[in-house]
Amino acid sequence: MPEATFAAWRARVEAALDHALPAPHDSPQRLHAAMRHGVLNGGKRMRPMLAYAAGTAFGADPAQLDAAAVAVELVHCYSLVHDDLPAMDDDALRRGQPTVHVAFDEATAILAGDALQALAFAALAHAPQPAGSRVAMLAELAHASGAAGMCGGQALDIDATGKAGAIGIDGLQRLHALKTGALLRASVRLGAIAAGADEASRIALDRYADALGLAFQVRDDLLDIEGDAATLGKTAGKDVAQDKATFPALLGIEASRARLAELSAVMHDALAGLAVETAALAALARKVVERDN
């Protein structure tokens, strides 16, 4: 059941993203083309999947969740456009294609990222939920995207680059709880808010999402060592080359794999406490732990 459901959700969000983005022939065409290049280039769409999975678990129709799915993916894509810039990770490959600043130029990439972020909040502002729920979703995405979330985590990551042994495992977990985990947690929360999930259920979903965010990064760190660029769709081996703080660097490969297993158990336990159908959320947890790109 989950795979057929995921295929339907991916088709939904791809169509919704295409509709939300500016038409390529409208002026300024170069900016619009760069925005579309940064979004409509494949990708796992993990964050929209989480929004759909959380929302439908609590009875929402997928059509009620499209705005949340689009918004969180647009923020994610904007962050990738900016992360790939020479001033940040300086990467030439993303999802198997040239990064936006390579395909266009640095200035256009900066503007494209800025415009994608603005478009994300516009999408949520027009969500079909009541005004109170829309405001709650806007606040959630803003918190996850800013200094208390993704941007703050990226700043910590920059500070830790070149000092892999100095940050410590607690510092690394905090870094990734902000950089990667905050937006994954927001994806789950947006779906729950859109569906009107109760407070106790949201607490259980937070446990699930926090473990999922950390598992995502542990697996990402392992793939940077064990994967190859063709499979990953991005440059492999950059973490080691840049002496970045990673879970394998601090814990070792086998201990990192053990940590993944522990996080998988936490996700399972969190979902077991929910009195709703959680098959899709459980399947997404497995995808995070087992993915090869």
Side-chain angles (χ1 to χ4, degrees), residues 120-136:
F121 288 96
L124 271 190
H126 294 96
Q129 280 70 31
S133 295
R134 289 201 306 273
V135 171

Side-chain angles (χ1 to χ4, degrees), residues 84-103:
D84 289 334
L85 286 166
M88 302 284 268
D89 289 348
D90 192 15
D91 224 325
L93 194 66
R94 172 68 67 181
R95 293 172 175 169
Q97 299 182 43
T99 49
V100 175
H101 73 274
V102 171

Side-chain angles (χ1 to χ4, degrees), residues 30 49 53-54 67 80 96 115 119 135 157-158 185 244 272 292:
R30 186 173 181 81
M49 296 298 103
L80 299 183
L119 187 60
V135 171
D157 194 24
I158 291 169
R185 183 171 59 250
K244 293 190 84 167
D292 60 6

Side-chain angles (χ1 to χ4, degrees), residues 262-280:
E262 292 169 5
L263 292 165
S264 182
V266 171
M267 288 186 277
H268 179 272
D269 289 346
L271 294 180
L274 291 169
V276 295
E277 177 54 64
T278 60

Side-chain angles (χ1 to χ4, degrees), residues 57-201:
F58 289 89
D61 186 89
Q64 297 176 283
L65 304 166
D66 288 339
V70 165
V72 75
E73 185 66 7
L74 288 174
V75 167
H76 175 56
C77 290
Y78 120 70
S79 76
L80 299 183
V81 173
H82 282 188
D83 281 356
D84 289 334
L85 286 166
M88 302 284 268
D89 289 348
D90 192 15
D91 224 325
L93 194 66
R94 172 68 67 181
R95 293 172 175 169
Q97 299 182 43
T99 49
V100 175
H101 73 274
V102 171
F104 295 86
D105 55 71
E106 288 182 41
T108 301
I110 293 169
L111 291 173
D114 291 344
L116 290 173
Q117 180 179 201
L119 187 60
F121 288 96
L124 271 190
H126 294 96
Q129 280 70 31
S133 295
R134 289 201 306 273
V135 171
M137 289 192 289
L138 286 163
E140 183 61 49
L141 188 59
H143 181 82
S145 304
M150 185 177 66
C151 288
Q154 180 69 3
L156 292 173
D157 194 24
I158 291 169
D159 290 344
T161 299
K163 313 170 207 173
I167 186 172
I169 192 64
D170 289 342
L172 183 63
Q173 291 189 169
R174 177 173 180 268
L175 184 164
H176 288 304
L178 299 180
K179 180 182 176 182
T180 305
L183 199 58
L184 289 166
R185 183 171 59 250
S187 304
V188 175
R189 286 182 173 179
L190 289 177
I193 294 169
D198 61 274
E199 185 62 26
S201 296

Side-chain angles (χ1 to χ4, degrees), residues 211-292:
L212 183 139
L214 197 53
F216 190 97
Q217 190 60 50
V218 174
R219 186 63 184 146
D220 213 49
D221 288 353
L222 286 167
L223 286 172
D224 187 73
I225 296 171
E226 301 171 340
D228 60 83
T231 304
L232 295 175
K234 60 183 180 180
T235 308
K238 290 201 72 176
D239 291 345
V240 174
Q242 296 177 352
D243 191 28
K244 293 190 84 167
T246 68
F247 287 95
L250 269 62
L251 297 178
I253 291 176
E254 290 308 316
S256 295
R257 289 179 179 147
R259 184 74 174 117
L260 261 185
E262 292 169 5
L263 292 165
S264 182
V266 171
M267 288 186 277
H268 179 272
D269 289 346
L271 294 180
L274 291 169
V276 295
E277 177 54 64
T278 60
L281 288 166
L284 289 171
R286 289 193 297 274
K287 283 181 178 293
V288 163
V289 171
E290 298 169 4
R291 67 194 175 94
D292 60 6

